[in-house]
Amino acid sequence: MLQPFQCLLLCSQATHQKPDILLAASGSYIFSFSLPNGAFLSLWSSEQGLIQAAETTEQSPTNSKLLHGEKSSEQPSKRRKLSTAGQDSESSSAEIITENADETSTKSRRKKKKNKKKKQAPNLAVIKLVGSSNGQYVVATTCEDKCIRVLELSTEGFLKQLSQRHMPKRPCAIVLAPDESKIACADKFGDVYSLPLLVEPSESVVGSGIVGYGPSKDKTEPPPKPFVPSANSRTVHTQRNRQALLDQQNTKITAAKKRTLDFEHQLLLGHVSLLTDLVYVTLDAMNSLQVRSRSYILTCDRDEHIRVSRGLPQAHIIEGYCLGHTEFVNKMYIPHWQRDTLISGGGDDYLLVWDWLSGCVRQKVDLITQVDTFKKDNVSDLTTNGKTAVKSNVEDSLEDQNRKIAITGIWGLNLLSAPVTHPQSHIFVACEGLAALFIYTLSPHGTLCHNTSHPLPGNIIDVSVLEHHASIIYSVDNIHAPSSTTVIASSLSRPSVGELKFNLITGCWGEGGEAREAVRAINRHAGMMERNEGVGTSDMAILRELLYGVENLRKRGQEERGQEDEIYQNEERRQEHGNDQEE
């Protein structure tokens, strides 16, 4: 079955006088559609980029030596081939004398068999999509390989990978600098890097088995030192730890060594907590109270902080903080038509509107009331309604209903053609696991007022703003039941995308717009892919982690952690008992 579209990106082709192109990421695939009629243009996969990188690596001098049997002085990549348990057993296992060797070997075989069943392919799902203003370049971030890929989008809608750079930690947010010559990347470790958008092919080098960009290194490195375990037979007592030490001693591996990034990069700033979002904004001289315009980098983290730093090249200077959240901050949004206003949200029951340059809170917007009202009016009781979904556990549905608020997205739309009697600035807020889009109006003074809570056919995932059409295109989860993250829907023939249009006459939001034909064609194409090709297939656990991982940022108390640990232990015992019965 086809995964939901977890990322949407509108690429304007106005400079080329071509129709706009909508990019939709489903798993590790990126589909391109023509916006006027929804015609399918091309399909790109992150696995194709991985194959291209492998082919480039095979042509490198280092790999050509390995192919001809010559030794290389370079340290091997992190993925090392481990030796078998029987190699060097006489010299390696002499330090440990284990009792009941037959029983230990039997358990080891069972463990290997279980791990072999659980082994899965790497998750190369696209988690972020950012495009240039002219629609020529697209920056995509993939999940498990921590890779930033720069793609070129042709006017016909074909994607071509120009470069890929593997970061030390998984990127969680990417934006383009105001001049669109550099990429600002924030990772889960708390660091923010600056990378050039485009690189010269002549500067490409190969390091650590991946294609990187930067100056080549000609000096030879010393041979790697063998890895020696810090434990020995006198410090290890339990049978499981003895077996682990025996495996380490029987393994021919080398000591891990930190490698510098093999491409041009600059470390801008860092947090001591997990970074969640990044905003790059430029204020003109009038708004910033400066002689000339100045750029700023805003970052938020899991520890309820929002930091305001200067832009390049003074990103190390901290201008101030915006402190007011009590839970993690996951999303920030600065309207491009009102750049002195910041809207932030995360794990709290409210939104905060800031005058971020001074660090003052303008407004605290209640969100829990709107969420509770929507649940009461629209969310059916999953424990009794068998027609809505196929449920495997009643506790799952109760957990969905008692779920806390976790904001996953904030978007804005400025209606230039709207009459004075209607609001012109609209803010859209999405919460994790809710089949609704909460719409607010933004006043010129920077305050929010709730407009409507629009129900959707599925849980909201992403939104792409069509400012020239006064509408938005949204993607929903067509696999899980509406307003549930655990219950699978009984019918999978629901739409994957939809469109909301602002009616200039009535001043209300409703389904349909200029792109309704394109939306129908995209949903029809997604259904055909689901029946015929089945691209983007993934395990449900991986899908839930990809679509519903924001709530995991919430810090838990000691009592809650103890209850969860007990549940995991019971689950492990049940699985082990089932495996023993199968054998």
Side-chain angles (χ1 to χ4, degrees):
M1 99 190 112
L2 184 65
Q3 284 189 6
F5 295 119
Q6 70 265 14
C7 295
L8 296 177
L9 177 64
L10 176 67
C11 298
S12 176
Q13 302 289 325
T15 56
H16 304 286
Q17 297 181 351
K18 295 286 186 178
D20 293 341
I21 296 174
L22 180 67
L23 299 182
S26 174
S28 60
Y29 296 87
I30 299 179
F31 299 82
S32 62
F33 301 96
S34 177
L35 193 57
N37 54 12
F40 172 68
L41 302 178
S42 68
L43 173 65
W44 180 89
S45 171
S46 58
E47 298 175 357
Q48 294 177 359
L50 193 64
I51 295 173
Q52 293 176 4
E55 292 176 352
T56 309
T57 306
E58 289 178 359
Q59 297 173 0
S60 65
T62 303
N63 287 338
S64 62
K65 290 182 181 180
L66 297 176
L67 290 174
H68 290 84
E70 300 180 16
K71 293 184 178 180
S72 174
S73 60
E74 296 184 5
Q75 185 176 350
S77 60
K78 288 185 178 180
R79 294 186 178 181
R80 302 175 179 88
K81 185 177 180 181
L82 303 181
S83 59
T84 57
Q87 293 177 347
D88 301 333
S89 59
E90 295 181 359
S91 59
S92 303
S93 60
E95 298 181 7
I96 297 182
I97 302 176
T98 57
E99 299 178 358
N100 301 328
D102 295 338
E103 183 181 355
T104 304
S105 60
T106 303
K107 288 186 177 181
S108 179
R109 285 195 298 268
R110 290 180 180 177
K111 191 174 182 180
K112 289 180 180 179
K113 186 177 181 180
K114 187 193 302 183
N115 293 337
K116 188 175 181 181
K117 291 181 180 179
K118 294 182 179 180
K119 189 175 181 181
Q120 295 177 348
N123 184 14
L124 300 180
V126 178
I127 55 177
K128 297 291 179 181
L129 277 180
V130 175
S132 59
S133 58
N134 59 1
Q136 185 177 0
Y137 301 106
V138 177
V139 182
T141 304
T142 48
C143 187
E144 197 166 295
D145 59 350
K146 313 167 193 173
C147 185
I148 297 178
R149 306 170 192 268
V150 178
L151 311 174
E152 183 179 14
L153 178 64
S154 66
T155 55
E156 289 78 19
F158 293 96
L159 289 168
K160 176 185 177 183
Q161 181 170 308
L162 300 180
S163 64
Q164 66 174 23
R165 282 160 279 190
H166 292 256
M167 304 303 294
K169 300 295 180 180
R170 179 180 297 182
C172 60
I174 52 172
V175 295
L176 292 179
D179 60 355
E180 297 188 347
S181 63
K182 293 184 179 295
I183 305 171
C185 168
D187 61 23
K188 292 291 186 181
F189 196 69
D191 295 330
V192 178
Y193 292 90
S194 174
L195 315 172
L197 176 65
L198 301 177
V199 289
E200 296 296 333
S202 58
E203 297 179 359
S204 63
V205 296
V206 177
S208 303
I210 59 176
V211 177
Y213 293 88
S216 59
K217 300 178 182 180
D218 296 332
K219 58 181 184 179
T220 59
E221 297 180 358
K225 297 180 180 180
F227 173 75
V228 179
S230 58
N232 54 50
S233 58
R234 297 181 179 180
T235 59
V236 175
H237 304 288
T238 63
Q239 187 175 8
R240 179 180 296 180
N241 291 343
R242 286 184 177 183
Q243 181 61 35
L245 179 59
L246 179 63
D247 294 338
Q248 291 180 5
Q249 292 176 341
N250 288 340
T251 302
K252 294 181 179 180
I253 58 177
T254 56
K257 181 181 178 181
K258 284 189 175 181
R259 280 187 172 271
T260 58
L261 299 179
D262 291 331
F263 49 83
E264 181 183 350
H265 68 283
Q266 180 183 359
L267 179 61
L268 301 181
L269 55 93
H271 281 229
V272 295
S273 179
L274 189 150
L275 270 179
T276 53
D277 201 9
L278 168 70
V279 174
Y280 206 133
V281 63
T282 300
L283 295 182
D284 54 23
M286 183 179 298
N287 292 333
S288 61
L289 301 179
Q290 301 291 335
V291 179
R292 56 187 177 85
S293 62
R294 174 171 288 177
S295 297
Y296 297 89
I297 298 176
L298 282 73
T299 50
C300 58
D301 58 26
R302 189 186 180 189
D303 289 342
E304 310 97 33
H305 300 147
I306 298 177
R307 182 196 293 183
V308 181
S309 307
R310 290 189 184 180
L312 288 170
Q314 297 178 323
H316 60 281
I317 300 178
I318 301 176
E319 288 286 341
Y321 289 89
C322 297
L323 304 178
H325 286 278
T326 58
E327 290 286 351
F328 65 90
V329 187
N330 184 55
K331 283 298 175 182
M332 300 182 296
Y333 178 73
I334 295 180
H336 63 83
W337 65 92
Q338 201 169 326
R339 298 189 178 182
D340 59 341
T341 301
L342 169 67
I343 305 171
S344 62
D348 291 310
D349 296 340
Y350 50 83
L351 296 168
L352 289 182
V353 184
W354 303 84
D355 181 2
W356 57 269
L357 202 55
S358 62
C360 299
V361 178
R362 288 181 183 171
Q363 184 186 12
K364 183 177 180 180
V365 183
D366 180 33
L367 187 60
I368 187 65
T369 303
Q370 312 302 333
V371 172
D372 290 342
T373 303
F374 170 78
K375 288 182 177 180
K376 181 180 179 181
D377 297 339
N378 297 276
V379 179
S380 59
D381 188 1
L382 297 176
T383 60
T384 59
N385 188 0
K387 298 180 181 179
T388 302
V390 178
K391 59 184 187 303
S392 57
N393 195 342
V394 176
E395 295 179 359
D396 292 341
S397 58
L398 294 176
E399 180 183 354
D400 289 326
Q401 294 180 356
N402 299 327
R403 193 177 181 87
K404 296 181 180 180
I405 291 180
I407 296 175
T408 58
I410 304 175
W411 303 269
L413 172 62
N414 190 28
L415 301 175
L416 301 177
S417 59
V420 183
T421 55
H422 295 323
Q424 295 185 345
S425 303
H426 298 262
I427 301 298
F428 308 91
V429 179
C431 296
E432 186 175 69
L434 279 181
L437 200 58
F438 301 95
I439 306 176
Y440 295 82
T441 57
L442 179 64
S443 69
H445 304 289
T447 57
L448 291 178
C449 179
H450 180 257
N451 186 330
T452 182
S453 299
H454 191 85
L456 302 176
N459 299 337
I460 182 70
I461 300 177
D462 199 10
V463 168
S464 181
V465 177
L466 284 64
E467 197 154 13
H468 298 289
H469 299 282
S471 64
I472 62 170
I473 293 181
Y474 60 85
S475 63
V476 296
D477 183 1
N478 57 353
I479 294 180
H480 294 89
S483 298
S484 173
T485 61
T486 55
V487 181
I488 306 301
S490 58
S491 175
L492 299 180
S493 59
R494 295 181 298 160
S496 300
V497 295
E499 183 188 15
L500 286 181
K501 169 79 173 177
F502 183 77
N503 193 320
L504 298 177
I505 300 176
T506 61
C508 300
W509 288 89
E511 296 286 341
E514 284 79 1
R516 58 179 176 271
E517 295 298 330
V519 169
R520 292 173 184 171
I522 293 173
N523 287 323
R524 186 165 55 251
H525 180 79
M528 292 173 58
M529 299 290 287
E530 179 179 341
R531 289 190 298 267
N532 297 333
E533 299 182 15
V535 298
T537 305
S538 176
D539 183 72
M540 282 299 172
I542 299 178
L543 181 62
R544 290 193 186 102
E545 182 181 358
L546 176 64
L547 301 180
Y548 307 112
V550 177
E551 180 61 32
N552 297 331
L553 296 173
R554 192 181 304 276
K555 297 178 181 178
R556 297 165 294 170
Q558 186 66 31
E559 182 178 352
E560 187 177 351
R561 286 197 298 266
Q563 294 176 356
E564 189 168 305
D565 292 341
E566 184 178 356
I567 293 175
Y568 286 153
Q569 291 175 3
N570 294 335
E571 183 66 21
E572 288 181 357
R573 293 193 194 99
R574 186 163 60 252
Q575 290 180 357
E576 291 179 358
H577 181 68
N579 293 334
D580 293 340
Q581 288 183 347
E582 290 179 0
E583 294 178 358

